[in-house]
C-alpha cells in the first residue's frame, strides 16, 4: 500500500447528504475528498427525483393537449416526440451538473471519480474510473452511497434485461406496451407519464391494492385515477417467471389467488424496491456493521458502529427521500459542531417524514394515517373535504381528489393527506403547525390569499367537527 494521502474528511458517495457535508466541511477550510463512482450529486439530480419530475411534467403537457377542447383550445396536429422529452430532461441535468461542479469548486472539496472502499477504519482506497488507485486517510469518514433498484431473484428476470428508472428515463422511443413490476411511488409516476405519452401500460402489484400502507380511501382514489387514464392494474399478483427480452417482447407469469395468468408486453420496468449500496466496500475491514437488510447500522445521530465514521441517506436505512437525506446531513453537521453547548444535540428520532408522490394529481402526506391511528388506539376527529370545495381547483379544472386531516382531542393536527393538484405545496403549512404544536385553528384563522390552493386548508380546518 502506498503512503496514504492525508485528508481531514473523506466522503464516499456524493448523494444529497454526501455533497452537503463535503461542501460544508470544505467551506470551513477542511481538506475534504469526495469520492463518486458515477454522476456527481447522486441519484436525485441525475436519475431520480428531478429527472422523473421533469418527464412527469412533459407528460402533464401531453395531457393538456389531450384535454385541450375542455379548455377551449383545439390543436389537432400534435404528437409526442420522446427524443425531445429526453433532451429536455438531459438539458436540466446538464445545468444541475454545472451547479454541482461550481459548489464543489467554491467549497474547496476535491472530487475524486472512482469507487471507494475501506482498507481499515481510517483508510479508503479509490479505484479510479480513469484507471489506477489512490489511497486516502482521514479521521472522519462519511458514507452516503445510496441505493439502487432491486432486481428480485425471479427466474428469467435478469435475462429479460428489464429497464430500471435509469433506462426508463432515457427512452427516446415510446414503448408499445410497458409492463411495470411494482405499484409504489416510482412505478406509479412512470405508469401515468408513459400512458400520457401514448404507451399502453400495465402495472403489476404484489399487494391487494396500490400503496397498501395508505388509507383505503387513498388507494381507492388512485385505482379510480388509473382506471380513468386507461392504465391496467393487476393486484395480488406475484411474478413467478419472466420470459423474453425487454424492448422486444416480454411475458410475465403471474400467480394470483384466482389462479395463474400470463401478461405480455414489449418492455418491462422494475420498480419493486431499493437495495442499499453497501457491498464490496470493505465495511467489514473497517468494522462498520450492517443490518440484516444490508443497510449500514447507525444510531439516531447517524453514527456507525465505528467512531469517526457516519452513514447517511438511503444506505443508512433512512426513509428513502432526498429531503430526509438532507436532514441526515443537518443532523450530522449539527452534532459535529458539539461540544458547543448552545447547539442542541440533534437526533433523527421522531422527526417528521413528509412525502409526496408526483402523480397527477399529487398525493402528499405527513403524520398519522387513519389506519395507523386506529392501530395505535389514538383518538382523533376526521375532517375531509373534496377538492371540488377548493375554488382554485375549479378554476384549473383539476377537481379530482380530497384533503383530509386527523385532529387530536387537544386540537392538534395528527396527520394530513392531500390527494389533489398541487398537494405537495400544501404540506409545509400543516407541518409548521404540527412541529410547533399549534392547534388546527391556527391555520383555520389565517387570512389566505384568494383564490389559491392553500385556501383549501382554511376550508378543511373550518369543517373540523366539534370535540
Ligand atoms: C425514480 C425515483 C424517483 C424518486 N423521486 C423522489 C422524489 O420525488 N422526492 C424524494 O424526496 N425522493 C425521491 N426519490 C428517492 C431519492 O432519490 C433518494 O432517496 C435519494 O436520492 C437518496 O440520496 P442519498 O443521499 O442516499 O444518495 P444517492 O443520491 O443515492 O447517491 C449515492 C451516490 O453514491 C455513489 N456511490 C455508491 N457507492 C459508491 C462507492 N463505493 N464509491 C463511490 N461512490 C459510490 C453513487 O454513484 C451515488 O452517486 C426517488 C427515487 C427514485 C429511484
Amino acid at each position: 500500500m502506498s503512503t496514504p494521502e492525508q485528508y481531514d474528511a473523506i466522503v464516499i458517495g456524493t448523494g444529497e447528504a454526501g455533497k452537503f457535508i463535503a461542501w460544508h466541511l470544505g467551506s470551513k477550510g477542511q481538506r475534504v475528498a469526495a469520492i463518486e463512482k458515477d454522476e456527481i450529486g447522486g441519484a436525485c439530480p441525475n436519475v431520480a427525483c428531478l429527472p422523473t419530475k421533469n418527464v412527469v411534467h412533459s407528460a402533464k403537457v401531453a395531457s393538456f393537449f389531450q384535454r385541450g377542447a375542455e379548455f377551449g383550445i383545439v390543436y389537432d396536429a400534435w404528437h409526442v416526440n420522446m427524443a425531445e422529452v429526453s433532451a429536455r430532461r438531459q438539458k436540466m441535468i446538464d445545468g444541475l451538473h454545472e451547479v454541482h461542479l461550481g459548489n464543489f469548486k467554491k467549497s474547496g472539496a476535491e472530487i475524486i471519480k472512482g469507487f471507494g472502499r475501506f482498507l481499515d477504519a481510517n483508510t479508503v482506497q479509490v479505484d479510479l474510473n480513469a484507471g489506477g488507485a489512490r489511497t486516502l486517510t482521514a479521521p472522519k469518514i462519511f458514507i452516503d452511497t445510496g441505493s439502487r433498484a432491486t432486481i428480485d431473484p425471479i427466474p428469467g428476470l435478469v435475462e429479460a434485461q428489464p429497464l430500471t428508472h435509469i433506462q426508463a428515463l432515457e427512452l427516446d422511443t415510446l414503448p408499445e406496451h410497458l409492463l411495470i413490476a411494482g405499484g409504489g411511488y416510482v412505478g406509479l409516476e412512470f405508469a401515468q407519464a408513459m400512458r400520457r405519452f401514448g404507451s399502453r401500460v400495465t402495472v403489476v402489484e404484489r399487494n391487494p391494492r396500490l400503496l397498501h400502507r395508505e388509507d383505503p380511501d387513498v388507494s381507492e382514489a388512485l385505482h379510480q385515477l388509473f382506471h380513468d387514464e386507461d392504465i391496467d392494474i393487476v393486484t395480488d399478483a406475484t411474478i413467478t417467471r419472466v420470459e423474453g427480452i425487454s424492448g422486444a417482447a416480454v411475458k410475465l407469469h403471474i400467480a394470483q389467488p384466482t389462479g395463474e395468468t400470463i401478461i405480455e408486453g414489449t418492455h418491462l420496468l422494475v420498480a419493486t424496491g431499493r437495495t442499499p449500496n453497501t457491498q464490496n466496500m470493505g465495511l467489514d475491514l473497517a468494522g462498520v456493521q450492517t443490518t440484516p437488510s444490508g443497510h449500514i447500522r447507525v444510531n439516531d445521530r447517524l453514527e456507525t458502529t465505528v467512531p469517526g465514521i457516519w452513514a447517511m441517506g438511503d444506505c443508512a436505512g433512512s426513509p428513502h427521500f432526498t429531503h430526509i437525506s438532507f436532514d441526515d446531513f443537518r443532523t450530522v453537521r449539527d452534532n459535529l459542531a458539539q461540544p458547543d453547548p448552545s447547539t442542541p444535540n440533534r437526533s433523527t428520532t421522531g422527526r417528521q417524514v413528509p412525502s409526496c408522490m408526483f402523480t397527477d394529481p399529487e398525493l402528499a402526506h405527513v403524520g398519522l394515517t387513519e389506519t395507523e391511528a386506529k392501530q395505535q388506539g389514538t383518538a382523533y376527529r376526521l375532517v375531509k373535504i373534496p377538492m371540488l370545495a377548493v375554488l382554485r381547483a375549479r378554476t384549473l379544472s383539476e377537481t379530482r381528489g380530497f384533503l383530509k386531516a386527523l385532529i387530536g382531542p387537544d386540537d392538534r393536527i395528527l396527520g394530513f393527506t392531500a390527494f389533489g393538484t398541487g398537494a405537495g405545496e400544501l404540506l409545509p403549512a400543516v407541518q409548521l403547525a404540527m412541529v410547533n404544536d399549534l392547534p388546527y385553528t391556527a391555520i383555520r384563522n389565517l387570512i389566505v390569499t384568494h383564490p389559491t390552493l392553500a385556501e383549501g386548508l382554511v376550508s378543511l380546518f373550518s369543517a373540523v367537527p366539534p370535540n
Side-chain angles (χ1 to χ4, degrees), residues 16 36-37 42-43 49 53 115-116 144-146 314 320-322 325:
E16 184 74 0
E36 175 54 60
K37 69 178 175 61
C49 327
K53 270 70 246 183
F115 186 89
D144 180 40
T145 48
D314 288 9
H320 286 17
F321 297 111
T322 292
S325 185

Side-chain angles (χ1 to χ4, degrees), residues 11-19 34-53 112-117 124-126 143-149 164-166 169 185-187 189-190 273-274 277-281 312-316 318-326 328 354-358:
V11 181
I12 310 178
T14 63
E16 184 74 0
K19 66 193 174 201
I35 306 166
E36 175 54 60
K37 69 178 175 61
D38 279 328
E39 303 296 337
I40 292 161
C44 170
N46 293 296
V47 293
C49 327
L50 298 176
T52 51
K53 270 70 246 183
I112 303 178
K113 291 301 298 279
F115 186 89
R117 57 190 171 85
V124 173
Q125 175 167 316
V126 190
I143 309 170
D144 180 40
T145 48
S147 64
R148 62 185 183 279
T164 67
H165 58 102
I166 299 176
L169 282 167
Y185 279 30
V186 174
E189 287 181 10
F190 270 109
R274 307 288 298 171
N277 292 326
T278 52
Q279 299 78 20
N280 307 319
M281 284 183 59
M312 302 169 285
D314 288 9
C315 73
S318 298
H320 286 17
F321 297 111
T322 292
H323 45 276
I324 295 297
S325 185
F326 181 66
D328 281 1
S355 64
C356 186
M357 178 172 73
F358 292 85

